[in-house]
Amino acid sequence: MAFSINLLRPQSPRVDPLNHLEDYDSSSSTDSEDTARHARSRAAFVPSTSATGSSDSPRSTVFLFPPSRPIGRSPVSSTASSTPVPSRSTSPLPQFYPPNHSSSCPSDTDSEPHSPLMRNPNLHPWWRDNRRGWWSMSRRRRKRSGYVVRTLKRWMRRMLRHPFFPSQPITIVLTLILLSVFAIFLTLLLIYILNPDKEPLPWRAYCSIPSLAPQPSMPFSPHIYPEIIPGQLLAPFPPPNLDSLPPAGVFIGIFSVDSAFERRMLVRTTWASHPRSRRGSAGGDDGTGTSRTLVRFIVGQPRKDWERRIKLEMEMYNDIVILPMPENMNGGKSHTFFSWASINAWVPPVYGQFEIPPRQFSYSNHTALPPSFAPHDPVQVWENVHSSKPRPWVRPDYVVKVDDDSFVMLAELESRLRVELYMKQKNHNNTALHQEGISSKPGTHNTMHNITSLLPSPHPLLHVRQDVVNNDPLIYWGYLVTNRLHQFMAGELYALSWSLVEWVAKDPTVKTLVRGAEDKQTSKWMRAHPRASEVRWTSEHCWIYDHPRSGTVYSHGFLFPSEAARIRRSMQADLEKMTQLGVGTQIPAMAGSLVPTPAAWAHSSVSTFGVRYTPPLPELTSTQSVEALVEGSDMSTIREGNPMTPEYAWTHREGRKTRYEGKRVGGTIVVHFIKKNMWYLETALALLEGEEFSEAEKYESQRAALDAVHVAHMSQRQR
């Protein structure tokens, strides 16, 4: 009966689940048609009346979720008449969970209040607070966020389906080759654009009339000495009273690595100890000038495989300094070296008496016991230590940093630094520039100093400064490189006076500028000096150059004073032509074929910029091939088809006395970029070896002597 009554009762209206979903969040719902289809397939549970046929059932409407009620177990009396409710949502989407409703299913909510599968209405997960997930994102927003990805995919598909896109193995390989060639070409192009050294330098102007060379302008340029006077010839070096000055104390640190044993041995046996390097040419001065010059090798912490070798080498030669840092080139090694030198650098005192007494500086009274000697140390050091009264050592006047691919003539280097130490620059108002810190015209080329002398000499050239009380010189000496980006002393060799070394080691600002290209960083240190306007940037452009085989903008043949004199005469003749044509001497202008071009001022009889060196003739002997590397020599100009033979050119070469014009110093200081040991030996043969007179000069000397005897005999017969 109850069943029949239930059939006659009008059915309760059904609630469409989709309409119920729209009522829930119609503003934000963006489900696709697939979502709607999924919702229809999962229709809500529709309860029927109870078995008792009760017509006043409270649940005449289908709910996706039960109404809100306290958490807990339902009364037992209501379980029989209650409408069964599904225990989980009909939709898997989290947006359909009501925020504060709990299930009315009589499940074990009491025993599992924190089950991860059951919602706790008291907890608000972080991902639901003020955040909308990807499922609630509007369709327009999803389209906008994926537009870039879809565009890339679409273009990628078009490119892959393009008929010209390689699809076969051979075409893929060819494409990779073309891309590699393009990458190499682009890299070389960038290197060329960023490289400031695109044209050979006018080194002939540097060695004769520096004002003819283009003068690059730099913002915040330091005061560079000596100043350039338009049209003035570069006076020959040295001044006549050089040897009357006490020698300068020079500590040279050669940057090396643990594995460069062969290069260190080449240095020890050549320019570090050779008499012609320490004494100079034309008989020398018995090593007096370099009696205070020491050479040491500077290395970082050696690797494990080289530790024992370095220790044995140190025991043998006593000329290696190990810095407390890993080996590096631009990671602060230079600053560590100068910091070490500010504490541990010592040189011998002045031995002997000189016409001019040594200058007194703030560090002159600092002394220490002599350290262990190296085999290539000056002879005077060994003589003094074996005497009855050995003298203590003192602080150096200069600390010099040198690369191990540089060949240094010690007598030449010391003589230039000695002149700077005892020299006093003057401007047009005869005011000492080292005190004023101003320069009338900055320049970049080492002309002869405009200096006078306090000596009673009829032709003075040196001015000896006597105001020495706590007035240490601030000298930054080397080869000045100037381009559109930088201005610094080249890293193959540069020298700092002792006051600068002490300041570099202690200044906190310098310690923040230790990483990077070390020569450029050193120039930044000089600009950061509190007396930066008084730092004397002294440049030497003529006698510091690269090896003739290197082919760089700084390379030319091995240069001697005799060839430099011929260049000066040639450039002076060119200057007279320019003056007659009314061309200025400051800028090398094109004024017809009579005026030489800058290319002519960069000409070398040995090397050509950017071209690999080849000997003038094949099958030259070793001595003849070295002679062919000398600038202006007959051997360097000989070519195939030339009537001059190599034997004739060798016989009529210049001897060392002629090349040095009878002087002790005045020639090459540093030859750089010696990347091969063979080039190193060539440099040693060219600068250290050779006879004082060639065969032709000996013959001419004998012939002149015979002619003199013959003339004397004829004059006696006439009487």
Side-chain angles (χ1 to χ4, degrees):
M1 181 62 111
F3 179 77
S4 62
I5 293 174
N6 188 31
L7 292 175
L8 294 176
R9 185 180 298 277
Q11 299 293 327
S12 299
R14 288 179 176 270
V15 178
D16 190 357
L18 297 180
N19 294 334
H20 181 69
L21 296 178
E22 293 177 359
D23 294 337
Y24 177 77
D25 191 5
S26 60
S27 62
S28 63
S29 176
T30 58
D31 292 341
S32 60
E33 295 179 2
D34 295 338
T35 307
R37 192 181 302 114
H38 178 72
R40 295 191 190 100
S41 64
R42 296 180 58 88
F45 176 78
V46 182
S48 63
T49 58
S50 65
T52 60
S54 175
S55 61
D56 54 351
S57 175
R59 295 189 178 276
S60 61
T61 305
V62 177
F63 290 96
L64 287 176
F65 303 101
S68 176
R69 62 183 299 172
I71 298 177
R73 189 177 298 274
S74 301
V76 178
S77 60
S78 63
T79 58
S81 62
S82 298
T83 302
V85 179
S87 61
R88 61 182 179 182
S89 172
T90 60
S91 174
L93 301 180
Q95 69 175 2
F96 298 124
Y97 285 92
N100 294 317
H101 291 75
S102 64
S103 175
S104 63
C105 179
S107 59
D108 298 332
T109 56
D110 293 335
S111 60
E112 297 180 2
H114 301 292
S115 175
L117 300 179
M118 304 293 294
R119 286 185 58 255
N120 190 344
N122 297 325
L123 298 178
H124 298 278
W126 62 269
W127 53 269
R128 298 196 60 183
D129 294 341
N130 299 327
R131 178 177 294 221
R132 298 179 65 187
W134 61 269
W135 53 82
S136 62
M137 189 184 300
S138 65
R139 181 173 300 181
R140 180 177 301 176
R141 184 176 179 183
R142 288 202 304 269
K143 287 184 178 181
R144 184 168 59 252
S145 62
Y147 176 76
V148 177
V149 177
R150 290 195 302 272
T151 303
L152 292 176
K153 290 182 178 179
R154 182 166 59 252
W155 280 102
M156 184 65 69
R157 287 195 298 268
R158 290 181 181 180
M159 184 178 66
L160 294 176
R161 295 172 183 174
H162 197 277
F164 290 103
F165 189 83
S167 58
Q168 300 299 323
I170 184 64
T171 56
I172 294 176
V173 171
L174 292 177
T175 302
L176 292 176
I177 293 175
L178 290 177
L179 291 177
S180 301
V181 172
F182 174 75
I184 294 174
F185 171 78
L186 183 61
T187 303
L188 294 177
L189 179 62
L190 292 176
I191 292 175
Y192 175 79
I193 293 175
L194 298 177
N195 183 19
D197 302 327
K198 298 182 178 63
E199 297 293 336
L201 298 178
W203 65 272
R204 290 179 174 267
Y206 295 162
C207 297
S208 56
I209 309 175
S211 62
L212 294 179
Q215 305 299 317
S217 59
M218 286 286 296
F220 312 108
S221 177
H223 302 292
I224 302 169
Y225 300 93
E227 65 174 313
I228 296 177
I229 300 177
Q232 183 179 9
L233 284 172
L234 182 67
F237 189 89
N241 54 353
L242 172 67
D243 291 334
S244 63
L245 301 173
V250 182
F251 186 94
I252 299 177
I254 305 173
F255 278 28
S256 182
V257 296
D258 51 12
S259 59
F261 172 76
E262 186 175 2
R263 180 55 61 92
R264 289 193 291 271
M265 288 305 301
L266 287 174
V267 173
R268 292 181 181 118
T269 56
T270 54
W271 60 265
S273 60
H274 199 282
R276 284 178 174 169
S277 174
R278 284 198 167 270
R279 301 178 183 178
S281 185
D285 62 347
D286 296 330
T288 303
T290 59
S291 61
R292 304 184 63 205
T293 301
L294 296 184
V295 177
R296 296 293 183 265
F297 297 98
I298 313 299
V299 298
Q301 291 291 335
R303 294 166 290 180
K304 292 295 183 181
D305 298 340
W306 289 88
E307 284 183 357
R308 178 168 172 76
R309 306 182 194 184
I310 294 298
K311 289 181 180 179
L312 293 175
E313 189 177 352
M314 293 174 64
E315 291 291 335
M316 182 67 185
Y317 298 104
N318 292 322
D319 59 357
I320 297 179
V321 175
I322 299 180
L323 299 177
M325 67 179 308
E327 184 59 59
N328 65 85
M329 181 175 64
N330 295 320
K333 184 176 181 179
S334 297
H335 181 265
T336 306
F337 164 62
F338 288 117
S339 300
W340 175 91
S342 67
I343 301 173
N344 301 289
W346 302 94
V347 295
V350 177
Y351 298 120
Q353 300 295 326
F354 292 87
E355 185 178 351
I356 300 175
R359 290 188 55 190
Q360 295 299 314
F361 302 110
S362 62
Y363 53 87
S364 298
N365 295 327
H366 298 173
T367 60
L369 295 176
S372 300
F373 299 153
H376 47 74
D377 283 345
V379 177
Q380 291 80 356
V381 170
W382 294 94
E383 295 176 350
N384 179 258
V385 74
H386 291 99
S387 64
S388 59
K389 294 182 180 180
R391 300 177 57 186
W393 286 22
V394 297
R395 289 299 189 186
D397 298 311
Y398 296 94
V399 176
V400 184
K401 178 262 174 183
V402 181
D403 288 340
D404 65 350
D405 63 344
S406 300
F407 193 99
V408 184
M409 299 293 286
L410 294 180
E412 301 283 355
L413 175 64
E414 188 278 332
S415 62
R416 263 74 172 190
L417 295 180
R418 191 194 314 185
V419 168
E420 289 298 322
L421 191 65
Y422 289 90
M423 179 269 299
K424 183 177 182 180
Q425 292 279 352
K426 291 188 176 182
N427 59 11
H428 298 300
N429 297 326
N430 289 330
T431 305
L433 294 183
H434 76 280
Q435 295 176 352
E436 297 290 335
I438 55 175
S439 176
S440 57
K441 179 185 290 187
T444 58
H445 307 286
N446 191 3
T447 58
M448 189 57 195
H449 312 298
N450 296 326
I451 45 185
T452 58
S453 176
L454 296 180
L455 300 178
S457 173
H459 301 287
L461 288 180
L462 292 178
H463 179 97
V464 180
R465 300 185 339 200
Q466 302 295 338
D467 49 337
V468 295
V469 179
N470 294 329
N471 192 21
D472 301 343
L474 303 176
I475 301 173
Y476 180 32
W477 189 94
Y479 184 103
L480 184 67
V481 177
T482 303
N483 51 48
R484 64 179 183 273
L485 300 176
H486 304 285
Q487 195 171 34
F488 57 94
M489 297 296 179
E492 62 263 25
L493 184 146
Y494 59 84
L496 300 181
S497 59
W498 179 252
S499 295
L500 293 177
V501 172
E502 284 190 317
W503 173 80
V504 165
K506 299 176 182 179
D507 188 75
T509 304
V510 172
K511 295 180 181 180
T512 63
L513 302 172
V514 298
R515 296 189 178 274
E518 58 92 15
D519 46 7
K520 298 178 183 177
Q521 294 299 105
T522 304
S523 66
K524 294 179 181 179
W525 303 345
M526 300 302 103
R527 290 184 174 90
H529 195 278
R531 296 164 56 193
S533 60
E534 301 178 33
V535 176
R536 200 158 70 227
W537 294 48
T538 305
S539 176
E540 175 57 70
H541 272 183
C542 180
W543 300 106
I544 300 178
Y545 52 88
D546 287 354
H547 193 276
R549 291 181 180 266
S550 62
T552 64
V553 296
Y554 308 99
S555 68
H556 53 74
F558 296 123
L559 190 61
F560 290 93
S562 60
E563 178 64 17
R566 287 189 287 269
I567 292 174
R568 283 194 297 270
R569 291 192 292 268
S570 175
M571 293 295 292
Q572 188 174 14
D574 295 338
L575 179 62
E576 293 176 356
K577 293 180 182 179
M578 296 172 64
T579 304
Q580 293 175 0
L581 295 174
V583 180
T585 60
Q586 291 288 341
I587 301 175
M590 301 292 185
S593 59
L594 296 178
V595 179
T597 63
W601 298 338
H603 170 72
S604 172
S605 63
V606 177
S607 61
T608 303
F609 170 61
V611 179
R612 184 176 181 179
Y613 173 81
T614 56
L617 289 176
E619 300 180 357
L620 293 176
T621 64
S622 58
T623 54
Q624 291 174 353
S625 63
V626 173
E627 179 66 19
L629 296 174
V630 176
E631 186 67 37
S633 64
D634 293 337
M635 194 71 72
S636 66
T637 59
I638 193 172
R639 296 293 183 271
E640 291 187 5
N642 196 313
M644 184 186 301
T645 61
E647 291 75 14
Y648 179 87
W650 173 257
T651 303
H652 291 79
R653 71 189 186 281
E654 291 182 336
R656 291 185 59 86
K657 189 170 184 179
T658 303
R659 284 179 171 171
Y660 278 91
E661 297 181 331
K663 300 176 182 178
R664 184 177 67 86
V665 292
T668 296
I669 305 173
V670 181
V671 178
H672 180 231
F673 208 85
I674 308 178
K675 299 303 181 181
K676 299 180 180 180
N677 290 337
M678 183 187 70
W679 297 5
Y680 203 93
L681 295 175
E682 289 176 345
T683 308
L685 287 172
L687 299 181
L688 300 179
E689 300 299 327
E691 300 178 355
E692 292 293 329
F693 300 95
S694 64
E695 289 80 356
E697 291 174 344
K698 292 179 181 178
Y699 174 77
E700 292 293 336
S701 178
Q702 293 175 0
R703 184 175 178 179
L706 291 176
D707 290 342
V709 172
H710 180 69
V711 170
H713 181 68
M714 292 297 296
S715 62
Q716 290 180 359
R717 290 185 60 182
Q718 290 178 0
R719 292 178 183 176

